[in-house]
Amino acid sequence: MGPYLLGLRLSGRRVLVVGGGHVAQRRIPALLEAGAVVTLVSPGVTPALDDLIAAGRITWHARPYEVGDCDGAWLVQACTDKRSVNTAVAAEAEAKHIWCVRADDKDASAAWTPASGKVDEITVAVTAGGDPRRAAGIRDAVVGALRDGTVDARRSRTKPVGVALVGGGPGDPGLITVRGRQLLAQADVVVADRLAPRALLDELAPDVELIDAAKVPYGRSLAQEAINDVLVDRARQGKFVVRLKGGDPFVFGRGGEEMIACARAGIPVLVVPGITSAVAVPASAGVPVTHRGVSQEFHVVSVHVAPDDPRSTVDWPAMARSQGTLVLLMAVERLSKVAEALLRDGRSPETPVMVVQDGTLPTQRAVVAPLSTVADRVSAAGIRPPAIVIVGDVVRVGQEVEMVRAERLP
C-alpha cells in the first residue's frame, strides 16, 4: 500500500539521527530548517556535520547507538551503513511507537523521507514508491515550474501586494533571476521598460495589464513622474504590480525614485536585484572587468550626457588617470567626445576598447579598436544602442582567450 502523506511540524521536537555519514549530512539541514531539536548518535561525522556541531545547532553523542537512544524522540532517522544497526534502531522505535525512517531499506522502513522542495509558502514532497532518484527528478520539475511561473502561481491566496521592482537582466530572458520570474508570473500589472527582456512578456496571462513605459498610455516618452503615478494607482486598486526593468533596478534604472514614490504613498515595495549589463555584457563577450595583474578595479559610468556637458557629474580627469576598467553605458552616441576627454586627460591612445551591441542576445556583435580610433570604427560598423563600451587592458584578456581557443581548434 502507498504511504499516507503528512506534513510534520517538528519545531521544538526532538529528532534522533543515528549515523554521521553523507545520508545524515543531507537530511539534518532539512530537519533543522523545520525547527527540530536534533540529536546525532555516531562515532564519527562528516566535516559538514562537524561544522553544525561546532555551531551548537545539533547535539552529538560520539559513540555507537545504544538501546534507549530513541526515548523522547518524535521521529528517528536510521542512517548508518550497517544493516544490523539500522534494524536495531528501527525495532526500538517501533516498540515505542515512534516513526522511523530507514535509509538502507525502503520496504522495512516505517516511513519514507520524500524528496522535498520549497517555493515561498509552497512545499512539494514526492515519494515515488520509495525510489529516491525518481522522486528527486519529479520534485525538481515541479519546483522549477513553480519558481519560473510555468505552474500557475496567480491563484495563491497569499499573492504579493504592492509593487515589485524587478531587474530583468542584460537582455537574454534566461538571465532574469528565479525570484524575478516567479513574481512576474504572479503580476496583475506589468510596467515594462524598453530594455526589459521582451520575450518574457509573451508568457504573461491574457488578463495581465501590460503598460509599455516607453509608449502607452502617455505617448512616445513616458515621464518618470507618470510611471510613478501608474505604479501607485494600480497598487492602490489592490493589484500586484511588477515594474520590469533591464539590468538592475538600482544601476541607472531610477529604481530609487520609484521606491521613494511608493513609500510616500504607503505602498509596500519589494526589490529584486537583476544582473547588471555593466558586468554581464563584458562577460558575454569574454572580457572580465577585473583580472589579476591587469585591473583590480572597475568604474561604471552613465554617459547620458557628454563629458563637456554642464550637467555631467563625472570626474573625467580621474577616469583618465585610473588604471582600472571603465564600463560606459549609454555612450555610443557620445563616444567621440568620451575618447577626446580621456585622451586629453592622460589615457594612452593605444588603450584597447571594446564596444558590444545587443549583449547576451543572439544578435550580439562587437568592435575592438584603440581608444584613438574607436569612435570612427564604431560609426563605420554601424553599432547602435543598446551597447556597452569597455575601456582598458582587460579587453586584451578577452582577445587572448579567443586566440587560445582558435589555436586549439583542429
Side-chain angles (χ1 to χ4, degrees):
M1 294 184 181
Y4 179 82
L5 297 182
L6 188 68
L8 296 181
R9 304 181 68 180
L10 294 174
S11 180
R13 292 180 167 88
R14 181 174 182 266
V15 174
L16 173 68
V17 178
V18 182
H22 291 291
V23 175
Q25 178 179 310
R26 290 197 303 269
R27 294 187 178 178
I28 286 177
L31 293 170
L32 293 174
E33 188 175 345
V37 179
V38 176
T39 299
L40 174 63
V41 174
S42 178
V45 296
T46 66
L49 290 175
D50 200 27
D51 285 344
L52 293 175
I53 294 165
R57 299 196 63 194
I58 59 179
T59 299
W60 178 34
H61 298 300
R63 57 168 174 76
Y65 158 77
E66 298 175 356
V67 175
D69 283 337
C70 292
D71 290 346
W74 292 73
L75 176 67
V76 174
Q77 297 265 357
C79 303
T80 77
D81 57 2
K82 295 181 179 179
R83 184 176 180 83
S84 59
V85 175
N86 291 339
T87 300
V89 172
E92 181 188 353
E94 183 77 13
K96 295 176 178 177
H97 297 175
I98 302 169
W99 291 106
C100 178
V101 180
R102 287 187 60 162
D104 63 333
D105 190 338
K106 69 180 181 67
D107 295 321
S109 183
W112 295 337
T113 298
S116 62
K118 188 173 183 181
V119 181
D120 291 333
E121 76 281 3
I122 301 171
T123 299
V124 176
V126 183
T127 58
D131 183 339
R133 290 188 178 181
R134 186 183 181 198
I138 296 171
R139 181 270 319 275
D140 291 343
V142 175
V143 168
L146 284 168
R147 282 177 173 164
D148 65 20
T150 304
V151 172
D152 187 5
R154 300 182 69 218
R155 298 176 183 175
S156 171
R157 294 180 179 178
T158 57
K159 187 173 64 175
V161 297
V163 173
L165 306 179
V166 175
D172 181 342
L175 294 178
I176 189 174
T177 63
V178 170
R179 181 63 170 153
R181 190 157 190 167
Q182 181 189 30
L183 291 175
L184 190 63
Q186 296 176 292
D188 299 310
V189 180
V190 175
V191 182
D193 271 354
R194 179 175 63 88
L195 296 180
R198 312 299 292 186
L200 295 176
L201 303 180
D202 292 336
E203 301 176 3
L204 297 176
D207 60 338
V208 175
E209 181 184 7
L210 176 59
I211 299 174
D212 191 330
K215 294 181 180 178
V216 291
Y218 299 98
R220 187 156 186 82
S221 181
L222 189 58
Q224 185 61 51
E225 292 75 13
I227 294 174
N228 296 348
D229 291 343
V230 168
L231 299 178
V232 171
D233 174 71
R234 298 304 191 275
R236 280 178 170 167
Q237 293 178 29
K239 298 178 179 180
F240 175 51
V241 185
V242 168
R243 175 72 168 106
L244 182 63
K245 299 171 174 288
D248 182 276
F250 287 177
V251 180
F252 304 125
R254 304 188 75 167
E257 297 175 47
E258 294 167 356
M259 182 174 63
I260 291 171
C262 290
R264 286 174 175 166
I267 304 297
V269 178
L270 172 65
V271 179
V272 180
I275 300 174
T276 175
S277 59
V279 174
V281 170
S284 72
V287 177
V289 293
T290 62
H291 190 75
R292 186 173 56 153
V294 178
S295 175
Q296 66 181 47
E297 60 180 327
F298 68 99
H299 307 268
V300 181
V301 180
S302 168
V303 194
H304 62 283
V305 294
D308 58 357
D309 191 299
R311 295 169 295 172
S312 176
T313 61
V314 179
D315 187 346
W316 285 103
M319 294 296 101
R321 292 192 303 270
S322 170
Q323 298 301 307
T325 306
L326 305 184
V327 182
L328 311 179
L329 281 63
M330 297 173 275
V332 170
E333 296 174 338
R334 288 163 285 277
L335 189 53
S336 61
K337 291 192 174 182
V338 169
E340 179 183 331
L342 292 175
L343 292 170
R344 181 184 64 241
D345 291 315
R347 276 270 181 166
S348 167
E350 300 304 314
T351 301
V353 181
M354 176 181 283
V355 182
V356 185
Q357 177 181 320
D358 293 341
T360 75
L361 297 173
T363 53
Q364 174 177 311
R365 62 186 184 124
V367 168
V368 178
L371 181 61
S372 59
T373 63
V374 67
D376 291 338
R377 288 284 302 277
V378 165
S379 178
I383 297 291
R384 302 297 300 166
I388 300 294
V389 179
I390 310 140
V391 181
D393 289 337
V394 291
V395 172
R396 293 195 180 100
V397 176
Q399 292 177 299
E400 181 182 348
V401 171
E402 291 302 316
M403 291 175 60
V404 171
R405 287 175 176 169
E407 291 173 356
R408 294 179 63 87
L409 291 176

